[in-house]
Amino acid sequence: MTNHLGDIQNSKAIIIFGANPAVNHPVGFKHFLKAKERNNALLIVVDPRFTRTAAKADIYVRIRPGTDIPFMYGMLHLILKHGWHDEEFIKNRVFGFDEVIKEAKKWDPKKVEDVTGVPASKLIQVTRAYASRKPGTLVWAMGLTQHSIGSSNTRMAPILQLSLGNMGVFGGGCNILRGHDNVQGATDMCCLSHSLPGYYGLSEGSWKYFAHNWGVDFDWLQKRFASPKWMTTKGFTLAKWWDGVTQEEPIYSSSPIRVLWVQGNGITSIAQQEKVKKALDKLDLLVIAEPFANEAAILTDKENDVYILPTASQFECEGSVTATNRSAQWRSKVVDPLYESKTDEEIMFEFAKKFGFYDEFVRGMMMGVKDGKAVKVKNTFKWPEDATREIARIIKTIGLTGWTPERLKKHQENWHMFDEVTLKGIGPMAGEYYGLPWPCWTEEHPGSPVLYNINIPAKEGGMGFRARFGTEYKGVNLLAGPAATIKGAKVEGGYPELTKDNIEKVLGIKLSPKEKEIMGKNWKVDLSGLIAKYALEAGVVPYGNAKARAYVWTFPDPIPKHREPLHTPRYDLAKIYPTYPDKKNQYRCDTKFISIQKTDWSKEFPINLVTGRLVMYSGAGLIERNSKYITQLEPEMFAHINPELAYKHGINDGDMMWIYSPDGAKIKVKAKFSYSVSPDRIFLPFHFAGIFEGKDLSDKYPEGLVPYAIGESANTVTNYGYDIITQIPETKAGLCRIEKA
Ligand SMILES: Nc1nc2c(c(=O)[nH]1)N[C@H]1C(S)=C(S)[C@@H](COP(=O)(O)OP(=O)(O)OC[C@H]3O[C@@H](n4cnc5c(=O)[nH]c(N)nc54)[C@H](O)[C@@H]3O)O[C@H]1N2
Ligand SMILES: Nc1nc2c(c(=O)[nH]1)N[C@H]1C(S)=C(S)[C@@H](COP(=O)(O)OP(=O)(O)OC[C@H]3O[C@@H](n4cnc5c(=O)[nH]c(N)nc54)[C@H](O)[C@@H]3O)O[C@H]1N2
Ligand SMILES: [Mo]
């Protein structure tokens, strides 16, 4: 989130693309409702289904899955045509907008209607309503990301906001509602295969910075890999790990995957379950660290070398987590780990001991900084405080330096001392924002409640856009214009990222020889903290002040472009808006795009398949399906189906029906009549497992551990399809065929 949930109360208009907060963020959703009640905010919901969130909306837009880019270009088309855009903002703070204008010109309301299924009059109504109320906030979640063009969707939405000058203002911004309670923290720590923590990437330079901070030899670290090459090469993703085992598509790795270690994933939540099952069956070893009987172990026919390590839950451990708005929260232990279960960190420590690298694994927690260098300062560590200190010491990129355990605990103890709309503290917490939302540049900095806000001083959380991509591209200046000066800054307009070499010139200061000696090469690796200190003294932030890039020259589509889903019900449009060429070696395996789309699947599989969430279940659903009471609320897997579609297939409310996927998989589920879906699509929740293609797997659970509810996983029939950049599965747009069972 660029802003935060409470700040939505400052919005005059809220437009939601592909999120259903009434169901998935019901506590956060109260801020949306307060915005309506207190600020007379207008709520617009764009979703292929009429959701519970849509039920609270002033305007509901039923869109065809995977066509948000044409819809947003349609909005831009009208915004530009009527001059509703913010010219000053674009001039000073956006790069490459001309290219966007060219594309937007093509998307007149009639054409948008044809592609998206949204009547032209509705597009005009929505655009006028949204553009005329400022500030407006744009909210999205999985409905935008889980597509083969997911990454383009997530660029299109900010472009829309930039055009209206809705970025970097209270009540505005792009507010992406995150998933699990600490998913922001998990992302920031890069529990991902393409980066080191803090988004430092995988370059040798980054590894060296971490090796130094962990107190280990770079050479030792490099020798952990089959060869140096693999150290700087992206790994497999969770979405397509199965390919690393089955090698259905060519892989590019030092060896196939033979062991799967699962710690905190349901596995049945991954698309293409038949492929997942094949891979599970073929593994040498499957280890699952879990509080429950994880259904990966149930799905597989593998009989030996499957282990479940009883793991403690979040209530049995302590430490910092990061909320959806970048605020840190300290969490206390409620009870000690029950029975023989161990906490996640204990399991990892034991693992490191067995494999002989425990000392190296924990040394980072015993390090501190002296004269700009990381040095060992003690011989023991205290969990989790020293882990938090390690994070604060190393992660400069997103500004975690200010997150000391002492500050975070003080925030936890003073929850009642913060205002929910501004996050500002009072009394003992005056001068700080709740949870010190990152970037929190120094131990004195209050945190940044709203990203890219140049209207408040840097010392109070102000900043421009990060100057991440140099100072110019093909002779065009990438830095912010003069009107984008951060309030109270000594440096006018844009400036580059601060380095040891440019800091004196940019800030107009003189460093002492000692300061020069201990200062890091640039702000991202400056352990001395001097760059952040002098930046804030000059009223700016270390990461520069640039234009936001609407045009990204390194991406396959430099500006977002509509491309039909791999499986589209409008095959005529796939010819006009084809998907990408197949991609070689994407996260160590090939990914198919056009070779899937070259077939017209819609003839045999004419129905759109949309998947998503229910309020009483989470993720793979195992936790709640183990609750006798929660399962009473929704005991069975089902498909929402419009009666008109159902009757065509002789299906009655409550009948069982088969759903077939183009990949040859099938599931048997209960038909539930609902007008939330139109007759051209069905909706499946993805929270069930334990039944696979009609076969009940109850006998495979350990004795006494069959959940109160089991069912088919929607992911058995989610289609092949992955995002071109991130490889997130296309679980929000696919096709299927149905039959009465
Ligand atoms: N079709 C379809 N598929 C989807 C999605 C969709 O919209 N449609 N959404 C996707 C998204 S966004 C997500 S995030 C995933 C979510 O899916 P998963 O990542 O599978 O999420 P959960 O089921 O919430 O949690 C996984 C497991 O973690 C275990 N667990 C809980 N607490 C702890 C702990 O403290 N330690 C350990 N070691 N384990 C613990 C739980 O018991 C559970 O079995 O699903 C994805 N899959
Ligand atoms: N109760 C509950 N709450 C949860 C979770 C849970 O499992 N249960 N999971 C958590 C997690 S991990 C996450 S990531 C979040 C996810 O939160 P959300 O993203 O809100 O979750 P979904 O229900 O998967 O998808 C949101 C909406 O996207 C719509 N959609 C599908 N395709 C498209 C499209 O092409 N365009 C548009 N505009 N909309 C589309 C769907 O119809 C759906 O209503 O929720 C979190 N909160
Ligand atoms: Mo998620």
Side-chain angles (χ1 to χ4, degrees):
M1 291 179 99
T2 57
N3 296 37
H4 58 91
L5 285 163
D7 179 65
I8 288 176
Q9 292 188 43
N10 291 318
S11 305
K12 287 274 182 212
I14 305 165
I15 188 162
I16 305 182
F17 286 93
N20 186 10
V23 163
N24 300 317
H25 305 84
V27 178
F29 193 58
K30 80 168 190 221
H31 297 288
F32 293 64
L33 298 177
K34 283 187 184 174
K36 276 182 65 129
E37 283 164 21
R38 297 179 179 174
N39 215 20
N40 202 20
L42 190 85
L43 180 63
I44 305 164
V45 170
V46 185
D47 198 298
R49 302 184 298 134
F50 187 81
T51 59
R52 292 182 186 190
T53 307
K56 291 283 176 197
D58 299 285
I59 310 176
Y60 165 64
V61 179
R62 193 187 289 283
I63 194 168
R64 177 166 70 86
T67 64
D68 295 85
I69 290 175
F71 187 82
M72 289 190 247
Y73 269 128
M75 288 181 75
L76 265 172
H77 180 96
L78 295 168
I79 288 167
L80 293 164
K81 185 171 148 189
H82 294 287
W84 295 331
H85 58 291
D86 187 334
E87 189 120 24
E88 261 311 279
F89 188 97
I90 295 169
K91 197 169 83 193
N92 283 283
R93 301 195 67 186
V94 187
F95 167 76
F97 202 74
D98 293 350
E99 294 298 319
V100 173
I101 294 174
K102 274 191 225 157
E103 183 66 21
K105 283 217 169 97
K106 299 179 194 162
W107 291 98
D108 61 73
K110 271 280 151 227
K111 189 160 150 183
V112 174
E113 174 170 330
D114 177 39
V115 176
T116 64
V118 180
S121 58
K122 183 130 277 178
L123 174 69
I124 294 165
Q125 182 198 11
V126 166
T127 311
R128 186 181 292 275
Y130 187 68
S132 61
R133 290 172 172 80
K134 285 191 187 170
T137 183
L138 193 158
V139 173
W140 83 73
M142 294 303 112
L144 278 203
T145 54
Q146 293 173 355
H147 292 282
S148 50
I149 47 158
S151 48
S152 290
N153 274 334
T154 64
R155 290 171 51 224
M156 191 66 222
I159 288 173
L160 183 61
Q161 285 292 72
L162 289 166
S163 79
L164 291 166
N166 267 334
M167 291 293 259
V169 291
F170 297 111
C174 284
N175 289 311
I176 305 106
L177 304 173
R178 302 299 317 246
H180 295 76
D181 66 341
N182 189 32
V183 76
Q184 185 64 47
T187 314
D188 294 345
M189 288 304 107
C190 285
C191 300
L192 296 162
S193 69
H194 68 281
S195 182
L196 283 163
Y199 314 94
Y200 274 83
L202 289 180
S203 70
E204 200 173 292
S206 298
W207 278 109
K208 284 190 170 149
Y209 175 64
F210 277 83
H212 172 70
N213 270 292
W214 290 334
V216 299
D217 266 357
F218 173 75
D219 289 347
W220 176 85
L221 210 49
Q222 199 177 48
K223 288 207 175 77
R224 304 303 98 203
F225 293 84
S227 72
K229 174 186 166 190
W230 301 112
M231 190 177 201
T232 52
T233 307
K234 293 175 191 173
F236 289 97
T237 64
L238 176 63
K240 277 190 90 195
W241 72 271
W242 46 264
D243 207 16
V245 185
T246 57
Q247 302 182 65
E248 200 168 288
E249 293 153 6
I251 66 162
Y252 308 81
S253 199
S254 54
S255 83
I257 296 174
R258 292 168 53 200
V259 176
L260 185 69
W261 178 283
V262 182
Q263 196 157 6
N265 184 274
I267 298 293
T268 54
S269 49
I270 301 170
Q272 304 260 291
Q273 286 285 297
E274 348 79 88
K275 295 196 167 80
V276 170
K277 179 181 181 323
K278 257 188 222 153
L280 288 170
D281 290 348
K282 207 177 162 194
L283 288 169
D284 290 359
L285 175 68
L286 172 61
V287 186
I288 305 165
E290 247 283 349
F292 293 91
N294 188 296
E295 282 153 327
I298 309 306
L299 181 62
T300 180
D301 289 328
K302 192 173 166 52
E303 298 209 326
N304 296 314
D305 300 312
V306 178
Y307 298 90
I308 300 184
L309 310 179
T311 310
S313 68
Q314 65 178 58
F315 307 104
E316 299 159 272
C317 59
E318 185 178 351
S320 71
V321 291
T322 308
T324 184
N325 71 306
R326 301 164 281 105
S327 274
Q329 295 179 324
W330 196 264
R331 190 152 71 191
S332 304
K333 183 160 73 174
V334 181
V335 287
D336 284 330
L338 294 171
Y339 308 108
E340 74 275 41
S341 68
K342 289 192 188 323
T343 60
D344 283 297
E345 70 274 7
E346 252 186 288
I347 290 171
M348 287 189 253
F349 292 153
E350 289 300 321
F351 181 96
K353 276 179 199 159
K354 289 269 184 215
F355 282 82
F357 62 87
Y358 178 74
D359 286 348
E360 290 86 352
F361 193 50
V362 299
R363 200 175 298 148
M365 288 186 279
M366 296 179 261
M367 309 276 289
V369 175
K370 204 165 167 261
D371 288 342
K373 296 265 178 302
V375 289
K376 195 162 175 206
V377 290
K378 53 187 182 179
N379 294 319
T380 54
F381 68 89
K382 185 167 183 286
W383 182 273
E385 286 81 356
D386 285 328
T388 308
R389 273 187 203 102
E390 179 185 330
I391 293 169
R393 185 180 74 245
I394 304 177
I395 309 299
K396 307 285 170 193
T397 40
I398 51 171
L400 301 189
T401 307
W403 282 12
T404 63
E406 292 73 21
R407 286 181 94 188
L408 301 186
K409 285 182 189 176
K410 200 170 164 203
H411 279 231
Q412 184 203 28
E413 285 154 16
N414 288 285
W415 273 349
H416 56 300
M417 291 288 175
F418 291 92
D419 177 71
E420 73 173 25
V421 179
T422 59
L423 295 189
K424 276 185 180 160
I426 52 165
M429 303 316 295
E432 296 198 353
Y433 300 105
Y434 176 65
L436 305 165
W438 66 248
C440 178
W441 302 107
T442 65
E443 290 184 23
E444 291 75 43
H445 193 265
S448 312
V450 171
L451 294 180
Y452 321 125
N453 187 350
I454 55 170
N455 304 315
I456 54 174
K459 271 191 181 157
E460 293 169 28
M463 76 198 87
F465 295 113
R466 180 173 164 189
R468 192 171 180 182
F469 306 97
T471 53
E472 59 168 53
Y473 175 69
K474 291 193 172 165
V476 180
N477 191 357
L478 291 176
L479 299 179
T485 303
I486 303 166
K487 188 175 177 189
K490 290 197 188 126
V491 185
E492 199 199 325
Y495 62 92
E497 299 190 280
L498 296 179
T499 65
K500 178 148 85 174
D501 288 343
N502 73 13
I503 190 167
E504 291 181 312
K505 189 155 165 252
V506 176
L507 302 185
I509 56 167
K510 188 87 196 113
L511 297 174
S512 71
K514 171 80 180 169
E515 286 176 326
K516 271 195 179 159
E517 187 198 318
I518 65 172
M519 185 178 280
K521 199 168 73 183
N522 60 53
W523 68 282
K524 288 174 281 185
V525 296
D526 176 33
L527 293 175
S528 76
L530 289 168
I531 295 185
K533 176 178 160 237
Y534 284 125
L536 290 169
E537 277 176 15
V540 298
V541 298
Y543 80 9
N545 181 5
K547 290 187 169 120
R549 290 191 309 171
Y551 183 89
V552 179
W553 54 87
T554 45
F555 276 13
D557 290 330
I559 55 154
K561 276 225 166 119
H562 177 56
R563 293 174 183 273
E564 279 292 316
L566 264 48
H567 302 83
T568 167
R570 287 289 306 275
Y571 200 65
D572 57 322
L573 293 179
K575 300 209 177 96
I576 310 171
Y577 311 105
T579 188
Y580 304 94
D582 290 358
K583 188 155 177 175
K584 277 219 164 306
N585 195 358
Q586 188 193 24
Y587 301 95
R588 300 199 184 188
C589 56
D590 285 353
T591 306
K592 288 184 263 201
F593 288 88
I594 195 71
S595 63
I596 298 273
Q597 205 190 50
K598 72 175 195 275
T599 306
D600 179 1
W601 301 98
S602 69
K603 288 196 184 111
E604 206 188 329
F605 302 92
I607 302 163
N608 246 156
L609 178 68
V610 181
T611 65
R613 294 166 160 78
L614 304 173
V615 70
M616 70 294 285
Y617 289 116
S618 70
L622 184 59
I623 302 176
E624 297 80 13
R625 285 189 285 103
N626 272 296
S627 156
K628 196 171 179 177
Y629 304 105
I630 295 175
T631 47
Q632 298 301 305
L633 299 170
E634 198 63 84
E636 248 177 305
M637 173 60 185
F638 64 86
H640 269 157
I641 182 166
N642 187 292
E644 207 178 295
L645 173 66
Y647 287 141
K648 258 200 230 162
H649 294 267
I651 296 169
N652 246 315
D653 195 19
D655 282 354
M656 295 304 283
M657 63 190 255
W658 283 104
I659 302 171
Y660 295 88
S661 83
D663 304 81
K666 59 177 183 187
I667 59 172
K668 193 164 115 182
V669 302
K670 184 166 266 185
K672 220 183 218 196
F673 279 11
S674 171
Y675 289 101
S676 64
V677 281
S678 42
D680 54 351
R681 66 196 61 152
I682 60 167
F683 168 76
L684 296 177
F686 77 98
H687 309 300
F688 289 84
I691 298 179
F692 184 66
E693 304 203 293
K695 191 167 170 250
D696 188 320
L697 306 178
S698 297
D699 59 330
K700 291 173 78 181
Y701 288 83
E703 211 188 313
L705 291 183
V706 186
Y708 290 97
I710 57 169
E712 292 269 14
S713 168
N715 281 314
T716 305
V717 289
T718 43
N719 303 184
Y720 186 101
Y722 297 90
D723 178 68
I724 189 76
I725 307 281
T726 64
Q727 211 173 65
I728 195 172
E730 192 158 57
T731 36
K732 295 277 191 265
L735 293 175
C736 67
R737 170 171 78 78
I738 60 171
E739 237 173 49
K740 185 171 162 29

